[in-house]
Amino acid sequence: MSNKMRKAAFTLNKDIANPYDLYNHLPYRVAVASNLLEIDRDAAIKQLTELETREIRVLLNVGSYGPINAADIAYQSRLDPYSVNRAINCLLKLNYIAEVKRVTNQKVKRVALTQSGLTVYQKITTHLEHRTDRLTANLTIKEQSTLLALLEKLELQAEQVLAETASVIEAQGEPITRDQKEVIRWYKRTSS
């Protein structure tokens, strides 16, 4: 549906004063695009693996950035640590990843792909590359580069706003959630 058709099909509510036009609300549009791009909406991914979206994201992080620890996966993917740990446990049971011992800090557990995990990783990344080519077929290389740069700026600004808001709440003596604590930690990590 084109821009004009969408606006014609979804007219603003005339029963209230100043209805908010979600079509022009950037976070809403990014969320809609994100929903359309979610890995688990792709039937081919379901045929490649029995993994849930969370496990796929963790497996991709382990394959792309491993050996890696759970905190770094949570930071890289912006998933909450509890979800990352659950995904790691699932992937360990499936023998797709294994713990890698570290000489310097035994408390920090890092994980890496096993041979069977590498096979799944390669199947997924091959499919994702093909899917990306199809999704970006109408974008030039320059447009793709610009989009990635703009998304990075938006992510960093969103992280800053969320961290600042959580910090204000915490400074007022109000409790903050574990997710808000993670956002503050992530922001401190990227701003230093």
Side-chain angles (χ1 to χ4, degrees):
M1 183 180 289
S2 72
N3 222 359
K4 286 182 181 183
M5 290 174 62
R6 186 174 310 190
K7 285 190 173 195
F10 298 99
T11 59
L12 290 174
N13 188 342
K14 293 176 184 17
D15 296 333
I16 61 173
N18 301 318
Y20 198 73
D21 188 355
L22 293 174
Y23 190 74
N24 291 317
H25 180 65
L26 184 62
Y28 179 81
R29 295 290 301 277
V30 170
V32 169
S34 176
N35 287 341
L36 288 168
L37 296 172
E38 278 187 44
I39 294 170
D40 66 341
R41 293 184 184 269
D42 191 337
I45 288 287
K46 290 291 188 190
Q47 291 176 353
L48 291 175
T49 176
E50 74 279 6
L51 301 175
E52 297 297 324
T53 302
R54 167 183 64 218
E55 286 108 20
I56 292 170
R57 288 182 180 161
V58 169
L59 181 78
L60 289 170
N61 271 271
V62 173
S64 294
Y65 305 110
I68 189 170
N69 65 45
D72 287 341
I73 294 170
Y75 171 75
Q76 177 67 18
S77 62
R78 301 308 198 271
L79 291 170
D80 67 277
Y82 177 76
S83 292
V84 170
N85 284 322
R86 284 188 58 187
I88 286 174
N89 288 334
C90 175
L91 294 169
L92 285 167
K93 286 178 186 170
L94 291 170
N95 195 35
Y96 288 166
I97 62 173
E99 284 187 30
V100 176
K101 297 295 179 193
R102 229 176 137 174
V103 177
T104 55
N105 186 350
Q106 295 296 330
K107 291 182 182 179
V108 177
K109 293 180 183 174
R110 295 169 40 157
V111 291
L113 292 177
T114 61
Q115 190 57 49
S116 58
L118 177 62
T119 301
V120 173
Y121 172 82
Q122 289 171 333
K123 284 180 186 177
I124 293 170
T125 56
T126 298
H127 173 75
L128 292 178
E129 192 62 35
H130 175 70
R131 184 173 182 238
T132 299
D133 290 344
R134 290 178 56 216
L135 288 168
T136 60
N138 66 340
L139 299 175
T140 66
I141 298 297
K142 184 177 180 182
E143 287 171 331
Q144 290 178 49
S145 178
T146 300
L147 179 58
L148 288 172
L150 291 172
L151 285 171
E152 180 180 5
K153 285 177 83 170
L154 185 61
E155 287 171 15
L156 293 174
Q157 186 64 23
E159 188 175 84
Q160 179 180 344
V161 168
L162 290 170
E164 288 171 353
T165 301
S167 294
V168 167
I169 292 169
E170 188 175 43
Q172 293 171 343
E174 296 293 323
I176 60 174
T177 67
R178 186 174 63 214
D179 288 344
Q180 289 171 313
K181 287 178 185 177
E182 280 301 306
V183 169
I184 291 170
R185 188 176 68 79
W186 291 334
Y187 176 65
K188 287 179 180 175
R189 184 172 177 177
T190 57
S191 63
S192 52

